[in-house]
Amino acid sequence: MARNHFLHACFYTVFGLASHMAFAALQANTAGLTEPGDEWLNYGRDYTEQRYSPLETIDTNNVDKLGLAWSFTFPTNRVMESTPLVHKGVMYVTTSWSRVFAFNAKTGEALWEFNPEVPKEHLINSCCGPVNRGVALWTQNGETSVFVGSFDGRLIALNAETGEQRWSIRTTPENSHYTITGAPRVVDGKIIIGNGGAELGARGYVSAYSAENGELVWRFYTVPGDPAQAQESPALEKALSTWGGKWWTVGGGGGTVWDAMAYDPELDLLYIGTGNGSPWNRDIRSPGGGDNLYLSSIVALRPSSGEYVWHYQVTPKDSWDYTATQHLILAELNIDGQQLPVIMQAPKNGFFYVLDRRDGKLLSADAYAQVNWASHIDLETGRPVENPVADYNKTGGSLIWPAPFGAHNWQPMSYSQQTGLVYIPAQHAAGYYSKDEKFSFTKHRWNTGVDLWEMRSHADPVIAKATMDAIVRGYLTAWNPVTKEKEWEVEHPEASNGGVLSTQGGLVFQGTGRGEFRAYHADNGKQLWSFGTDSSVLASPMTYAIDGEQYVAVSQGAGGAIVLAVGRPRPQNSNNPNRLLVFKLDGTQTLPPVLASKAAVRNTYEPLNSASRELIAQGDKLYERNCATCHGGSANGSGVIPDLRMMSTKTQSEFVGIVLGGSKRHSGMVGFYETMDFAQTEAVHAYINHRAAVSLEEEEYSWWDQIRYWFWYYSARLGDAFPWLANALRDANMSP
Ligand code: CA
């Protein structure tokens, strides 16, 4: 061990010297991105992506005086995942549909807006809504540009002063499943952009474009293509032997680079996180086995050329949607008496990884959440030791912790240099995985190879609610990456809460799914302040200072994968207003009122429940296959997009035209005439009306339902505490 570290130290020194000259040339441009001071210049603040600010005017003693300085209500009402950037007194923030807004960061005055006019029908390719997480900034020849990836696959450069478009290029193939939701990054005048789409079918890649004119500089594919063709890089030639079957025809392999990146200017390495396999089910994707490089991996690339340098595969043989696209953080940690440059990640699979970022050597990997797919990560081999329950193709179906939503998803975590802790917006949920026996690749649908109908919540609403309440929850987890232990934890009643910011004021900021924005003591998790919002706060907060005054900003808006899939109550009377909230000490502003609620207008329909059982059962399966990923499992609407149980009489009469003909194409609901016929549409219609009738009955539980609720609640709690028991009950058909 000691010898290894010595070699690392030598390597680091020699490499550091060799790259010093190139580094000096870069310094002028990258200075801001390594030391932003009062500003916030990159998605994760600076190149380390720590989301830790040295600002300390707002601290543990005065945070209770935090109040609203200004706010802005956006003309959108979908999920907000954007982190604002602040440079030279101007704030740049994005909304759903990839719209960009610029504000005077001190006064809140709106300066300009850019709308890339994303075709709404591209929504059919989304896993989780028309999300955007933010912009990148780069100054060249005295001119600052703002870069945004549009949902339909364009990379666009804007004049930072006026919002006028400088250039726009396509970075994904026309008419493909790819989407862009992540923020671009900039290294030495090159804009780095990835994309998503592995649920529907995609081959992952990341590209670099010239900031000046949008010319492609390099592209790195994360998985090999058809082996009959020459592969694009030596790294892919090497990866070929880890694949089997015809992955390029059944979903493209996956491994999309849809979110996390980080850059080390000293090592001149760009780190990317790659996504899940496409399809999820490894026996369908790569029959005959293999690790399937470079799925679910952290990969280090040379940012000038896109050349592969090293990789660490977080989840070999991924079969569970366990992406390694979650937030990557660079830090220097003192491990066994040595100061080491590390990269850290809490990917979906539930283990917290610390790697030496010079060569990808695994230093530690420990469970930060409940996990039953693997017993541990073997530090000798660097590989997980899978439990038999994980192989659902063999077991015939298993309850596996974590669920596809992950023990941690896109919500950014934060590393505090002050406490040495990593604050993880973690979550707790299990998923029932079983093989989709009838799998065939279908364009514009989820192609997972997992039976999502089996995975959906129980058809009985009482049992569904009881199990959801019992096993799905969220955490803010303070993880010590050196001692590999949890130091403290705050529990949230739901999964999917906000991203995290930590500051030198000793504070940790996080929003909640229920609709609160909170500050905690970074040492012990004590809640010190809270602000009631009128929608979920899922995006990450950021902080900046102007004229010596510190501000904390966050955007609000509900939605995203877990919310769309399982639905959940949002703050009362909420029409999901998308807002930007900016706080300062002694701020006195209040939120403007919400405009008339659409939900109230929609809920006028008296459902009929006269369809036959057979028709409803047929509609149930068709619904889960075609509609559930957007409109919610079991037709439990999230309130983010129309809840089908609340269709108006007008919508009822236009149902066939909407579903088959695509008459609401302009708002994102395309026609399904290619894959469904009239009779099937009628079955789905009958099923939705049946669900509407059942849901109305849910409002008041009879005494019998209450007994059933608590019975299933405690059964699920027991199964949650002992996953083997939950699986044994499942096998015996004795559980929800
Ligand atoms: Ca995925």
Side-chain angles (χ1 to χ4, degrees):
M1 196 73 174
R3 188 184 140 81
N4 246 342
H5 282 149
F6 175 71
L7 286 175
H8 285 159
C10 291
F11 171 77
Y12 198 39
T13 311
V14 172
F15 189 86
L17 283 174
S19 65
H20 188 75
M21 282 172 70
F23 178 55
L26 274 182
Q27 245 167 352
N29 275 333
T30 56
L33 284 159
T34 51
E35 208 54 68
D38 286 353
E39 303 193 320
W40 190 288
L41 294 176
N42 180 38
Y43 181 61
R45 185 173 178 270
D46 61 11
Y47 276 142
T48 67
E49 307 269 340
Q50 290 178 353
R51 291 178 175 269
Y52 167 77
S53 168
L55 297 178
E56 53 183 352
T57 319
I58 301 168
D59 62 21
T60 52
N61 292 319
N62 61 19
V63 68
D64 60 331
K65 294 191 184 67
L66 213 52
L68 202 60
W70 58 271
S71 71
F72 184 82
T73 306
F74 297 104
T76 53
N77 60 349
R78 302 296 294 257
V79 65
M80 289 289 289
E81 302 188 0
S82 178
T83 303
L85 267 51
V86 168
H87 180 49
K88 291 194 172 162
V90 179
M91 178 184 288
Y92 306 92
V93 61
T94 61
T95 69
S96 55
W97 302 111
S98 330
R99 293 166 77 164
V100 188
F101 291 78
F103 300 96
N104 178 319
K106 189 181 167 84
T107 64
E109 181 199 351
L111 301 176
W112 54 257
E113 186 212 335
F114 173 79
N115 184 348
E117 307 284 355
V118 172
K120 295 287 199 293
E121 56 263 35
H122 199 68
L123 192 60
I124 191 73
N125 298 308
S126 92
C127 75
C128 325
V131 170
N132 190 282
R133 298 196 191 85
V135 298
L137 295 173
W138 185 251
T139 304
Q140 206 155 324
N141 309 324
E143 281 188 333
T144 303
S145 295
V146 179
F147 302 90
V148 64
S150 75
F151 186 67
D152 57 335
R154 288 167 286 160
L155 179 65
I156 301 167
L158 307 172
N159 180 324
E161 269 175 44
T162 62
E164 270 163 54
Q165 185 175 301
R166 283 206 163 119
W167 52 256
S168 168
I169 52 101
R170 275 210 75 81
T171 173
T172 59
E174 209 76 63
N175 300 318
S176 63
H177 287 145
Y178 291 97
T179 53
I180 298 180
T181 58
R185 309 297 203 280
V186 196
V187 177
D188 189 24
K190 282 179 274 303
I191 313 301
I192 319 289
I193 186 79
N195 47 57
E199 266 58 65
L200 290 97
R203 182 186 181 204
Y205 63 86
V206 58
S207 320
Y209 294 89
S210 155
E212 207 166 336
N213 52 26
E215 256 172 52
L216 180 68
V217 183
W218 55 258
R219 175 165 290 175
F220 178 80
Y221 283 93
T222 61
V223 296
D226 181 351
Q229 312 284 324
Q231 301 301 307
E232 290 85 349
S233 71
L236 288 179
E237 296 287 354
K238 251 188 173 168
L240 269 178
S241 63
T242 67
W243 289 77
K246 294 193 166 184
W247 67 92
W248 65 96
T249 64
V250 294
T256 50
V257 185
W258 56 262
D259 197 44
M261 293 183 219
Y263 173 61
D264 181 336
E266 215 156 320
L267 292 169
D268 193 30
L269 289 178
L270 170 73
Y271 306 95
I272 59 165
T274 69
N276 55 278
S278 178
W280 294 355
N281 190 325
R282 62 191 177 197
D283 284 12
I284 296 174
R285 183 179 70 239
S286 178
D291 282 353
N292 293 182
L293 292 174
Y294 301 90
L295 289 183
S296 191
S297 300
I298 299 168
V299 185
L301 302 174
R302 195 65 67 203
S304 52
S305 59
E307 189 195 339
Y308 162 97
V309 180
W310 61 254
H311 82 275
Y312 174 79
Q313 193 170 34
V314 166
T315 310
K317 307 175 194 290
D318 168 46
S319 207
W320 313 274
D321 190 19
Y322 286 169
T323 63
T325 48
Q326 279 58 49
H327 189 179
L328 294 165
I329 290 181
L330 310 184
E332 318 299 313
L333 294 186
N334 194 301
I335 294 173
D336 298 333
Q338 258 190 309
Q339 201 71 11
L340 294 177
V342 305
I343 184 165
M344 301 186 279
Q345 189 183 48
K348 275 190 183 177
N349 77 18
F351 291 94
F352 189 92
Y353 293 80
V354 182
L355 309 179
D356 188 318
R357 71 171 177 267
R358 294 169 296 189
D359 54 9
K361 183 188 166 5
L362 178 66
L363 299 173
S364 68
D366 299 84
Y368 65 90
Q370 179 154 316
V371 160
N372 79 332
W373 71 277
S375 62
H376 64 288
I377 310 297
D378 184 328
L379 287 185
E380 286 299 312
T381 62
R383 298 174 65 89
V385 180
E386 270 184 40
N387 283 321
V389 73
D391 196 349
Y392 53 85
N393 292 308
K394 281 214 182 88
T395 63
S398 318
L399 258 176
I400 298 174
W401 280 255
F405 309 114
H408 170 217
N409 207 304
W410 62 268
Q411 282 91 336
M413 49 190 198
S414 175
Y415 168 74
S416 165
Q417 292 177 13
Q418 192 179 44
T419 62
L421 300 177
V422 178
Y423 303 95
I424 312 167
Q427 51 198 20
H428 182 97
Y432 185 76
Y433 293 75
S434 60
K435 184 176 183 176
D436 179 359
E437 298 290 351
K438 285 184 275 202
F439 176 83
S440 70
F441 182 82
T442 314
K443 208 173 175 205
H444 297 315
R445 293 294 180 285
W446 277 38
N447 290 289
T448 62
V450 170
D451 191 335
L452 296 177
W453 188 74
E454 286 286 335
M455 193 184 265
R456 84 210 198 288
S457 55
H458 199 279
D460 181 320
V462 175
I463 300 175
K465 185 166 187 341
T467 44
M468 201 72 73
D469 291 351
I471 67 172
V472 181
R473 54 192 176 273
Y475 293 101
L476 173 60
T477 300
W479 181 263
N480 187 322
V482 175
T483 64
K484 301 167 275 184
E485 280 168 355
K486 263 177 219 171
E487 296 230 340
W488 54 260
E489 193 164 70
V490 172
E491 189 175 315
H492 298 302
E494 290 148 355
S496 198
N497 296 284
V500 184
L501 161 74
S502 64
T503 71
Q504 200 161 313
L507 295 168
V508 173
F509 290 89
Q510 188 194 25
T512 72
R514 280 269 166 102
E516 262 184 87
F517 183 45
R518 296 175 176 174
Y520 297 96
H521 200 300
D523 288 342
N524 53 30
K526 186 172 175 238
Q527 189 178 315
L528 300 175
W529 172 82
S530 161
F531 179 88
T533 58
D534 52 3
S535 190
S536 305
V537 181
L538 306 179
S540 233
M542 54 78 74
T543 187
Y544 59 98
I546 294 177
D547 301 333
E549 194 159 31
Q550 187 184 353
Y551 298 81
V552 178
V554 72
S555 45
Q556 72 164 39
I562 200 166
V563 179
L564 290 179
V566 303
R568 71 159 171 223
R570 286 177 296 105
Q572 285 214 322
N573 306 320
S574 174
N575 194 21
N576 197 19
N578 286 180
R579 302 192 201 259
L580 179 67
L581 310 173
V582 182
F583 300 89
K584 64 175 184 179
L585 292 176
D586 301 316
T588 54
Q589 296 300 304
T590 52
L591 287 177
V594 188
L595 299 174
S597 168
K598 277 189 201 161
V601 180
R602 274 206 306 271
N603 193 7
T604 53
Y605 174 69
E606 278 291 317
L608 300 166
N609 194 21
S610 54
S612 72
R613 271 171 175 274
E614 291 72 30
L615 192 66
I616 291 167
Q618 190 202 350
D620 184 358
K621 293 230 168 186
L622 285 164
Y623 175 90
E624 293 300 327
R625 176 85 181 121
N626 295 290
C627 324
T629 51
C630 292
H631 288 282
S634 309
N636 291 322
S638 59
V640 175
I641 56 177
D643 187 325
L644 299 179
R645 297 168 302 177
M646 298 181 184
M647 277 188 285
S648 67
T649 318
K650 185 166 177 287
T651 306
Q652 293 278 357
S653 66
E654 293 168 352
F655 193 83
V656 175
I658 295 168
V659 174
L660 290 186
S663 62
K664 294 211 167 165
R665 205 180 173 80
H666 57 277
S667 51
M669 171 65 196
V670 298
F672 281 54
Y673 61 91
E674 282 176 343
T675 48
M676 279 173 70
D677 60 25
F678 181 77
Q680 289 173 323
T681 308
E682 288 287 273
V684 169
H685 198 178
Y687 168 70
I688 291 167
N689 283 341
H690 166 75
R691 287 292 303 145
V694 173
S695 309
L696 287 185
E697 287 162 17
E698 276 170 36
E699 312 236 317
E700 288 252 318
Y701 278 180
S702 65
W703 63 267
W704 174 236
D705 280 343
Q706 289 190 33
I707 292 171
R708 288 172 63 233
Y709 175 89
W710 290 113
F711 173 78
W712 288 115
Y713 177 88
Y714 285 111
S715 304
R717 251 332 312 184
L718 207 61
D720 194 42
F722 304 103
W724 60 268
L725 177 65
N727 273 298
L729 289 174
R730 270 266 179 181
D731 291 345
N733 280 327
M734 284 169 65
S735 80

